[in-house]
Amino acid sequence: MSWWQEVKDQITESQVWTSIFRHGYDDTPRNRVLMVSGNVWLHLHPSKVRRHATRMRFTWCMGGITFLMFLVTVVTGVYLMFYYRPVAQYAYADMKYLEFDMPFGMLMRNMHRWAAHGMVIAVWLHMFRVFLTGSYKPPREFNWVVGVILLVLTLLLSFTGYLLPWDQLAIWAVTVGSNMGRATPVLGHEGPFKELLGVNPLYDARAFIFGGGEVGPHTLLRFYILHCVFIPLVTSLFLAVHFWRIRRDGFSGPAL
Amino acid sequence: MATVSSPGSPAGKRVEVSIKKAMGPGDDKVHTWPHLVRAEFLCSVLVLFGLMVWALLVNAPLEEPANPSRTPNPSKAPWYFLGLQEMLVFFDPWHAGVVLPSLIIVGLMVIPYIDINPKGNGYYTFRERKWEILTFFLGFHVLWISLIVIGTLLRGPGWNWFWPWEYWDPHKVEALTSVNLPYLLGIRDYFWAAIFGLVAILGFFVVGTIAMYAWVIWLKGSEFMERWGAVRFGITSFLFLNMVAVVIKMLMRHMFNIKYVMETPWINV
Ligand code: HEM
């Protein structure tokens, strides 16, 4: 076996290897810390956490699952973007094309859709858990506020994506969901006090969301960009703040 | 129980302390790797596996191509907004679609600032924060989740109520017999009806705030009220009364067929 050991040593002691992997895999306390602190992804965590914070009974794992669902939609979403054109003539045909002709197209679409629903459910359960453990109490008040913003962003992500298949379900669900825009007081053309600013169907709060008087091709492009670029970017920024604050404030738990 | 000599004790004299106490607070910590990372990994694998199976078994819906000239009946918003769509039964769109969502978002955001109960921070307890949890339960489970279930399962064509075993008859006729509260009480004049409505709404908030004040004092004592402060109390009671108002309006509609409390040419509540 010594030749094997020799080859192994040659590799793991070479300049290339040591430039990538900084420490071995031995189960020593030092390595356990390095595993986390030396890894860009894992160092979102502190290198030590209180015992109860590792228990699913406490966290329900729901914040993590929300984040996981977000990552799944990012990956599958990029795949879908290769085949989808946000143009009214093509969008629906592209969906069919994607479902029947693209390798794994249907699977990717299904995963994207169900992960989006899963994210909405998980974020609610996460909020409920944080409420029940009172984890919003000082010093974590602000992170709860960031969380509420993330909740709204999650719903908006889902909602803007709903339009993209450009089928009956899509345009009517979005029409119903956005109709409240026209009822906004002062800013909507069917809202109370609509006379004040002289709003009309083509120039009011809903038209600003739709990019026109009703759900149309302009809305498709607008929602596409919101869905694929703008809201994911904003969400990522707030996620960064959210995770950072968890690190700064420490994880909540019963007093020792 | 292991023994350690505690630093403050006279030399040679051994004092029994449990290891946990001797090490002081902050020391139930474990290494993230492997303890937390392992849990996260297993959880991710399980969830991804479940998602994959689900995605293999159930296809995402794709209906006919979009057709702006054919409105389906019923037209439903995405399921997570159905609680708000259900509110359209009870309130005008500006209220159900704009005011209530804003109040929900703001209301959620202020929770950490209006809840000054220091207990129950970081562990599960019902006894130590009964009222907070009951209020959250009313808002989240009763008013949000259950209305989503109703909107998803029990609302059919014309947004009429259909039990799951009933046929979705698009021609079902519901008598529109709703009346306004002032009318029900015998006020026939538009002007006075509007005045009555305004007084009723303002009265609800004034009386409600006073009642809530008295209730908090009775429940927690005036020392608590002093610590809580006028601003916190004001915000809390305003939001809470709005939530109660939603329930009251729903009951008035379902039991007495009341449409508006106040009707004016500009705004109806
Ligand atoms: C996109 C949405 C969100 C993601 C991905 C997310 C992610 C996470 C993660 C991974 C944690 C670590 C603990 C855990 O898993 O429970 C956490 C903690 C926390 N989250 Fe979120 N979260 C989101 C939304 C929210 C919302 C909606 C709220 C509240 C309204 C919230 C408030 C908090 C608070 C206060 C903590 C600290 C908990 C503690 O110290 O016990 N988050 N979040």
Side-chain angles (χ1 to χ4, degrees), chain A residues 52-53 58-68 70 119 123-124 126-131 133-137 140-154 235 239 242-243 246 249-253, chain B residues 40 108 122:
Chain A
H52 69 274
F58 185 78
T59 64
W60 309 353
C61 237
M62 274 305 155
I65 292 177
T66 313
F67 188 48
L68 181 68
F70 180 72
M119 187 171 166
V123 77
W124 287 350
H126 173 56
M127 179 176 79
F128 186 43
R129 182 298 274 182
V130 171
F131 183 85
T133 55
S135 303
Y136 57 82
K137 299 191 177 196
R140 295 179 195 79
E141 304 102 310
F142 183 66
N143 215 13
W144 170 274
V145 177
V146 173
V148 176
I149 295 171
L150 282 170
L151 171 77
V152 175
L153 288 170
T154 305
T235 307
L239 278 177
H242 197 59
F243 295 157
I246 300 170
D249 300 336
F251 204 70
S252 71
Chain B
E40 287 173 346
L108 281 173

Side-chain angles (χ1 to χ4, degrees), chain A residues 22-75:
Chain A
R22 291 280 154 80
H23 55 84
Y25 201 77
D26 305 326
D27 190 12
T28 61
R30 181 169 174 276
N31 263 356
R32 286 183 168 193
V33 171
L34 284 177
M35 260 328 168
V36 172
S37 66
N39 179 305
V40 63
W41 313 116
L42 290 180
H43 100 284
L44 277 176
H45 303 101
S47 51
K48 286 179 126 194
V49 286
R50 290 186 52 193
R51 184 167 278 286
H52 69 274
T54 66
R55 300 244 159 95
M56 275 197 70
R57 289 208 286 285
F58 185 78
T59 64
W60 309 353
C61 237
M62 274 305 155
I65 292 177
T66 313
F67 188 48
L68 181 68
M69 291 296 107
F70 180 72
L71 294 179
V72 169
T73 51
V74 169
V75 172

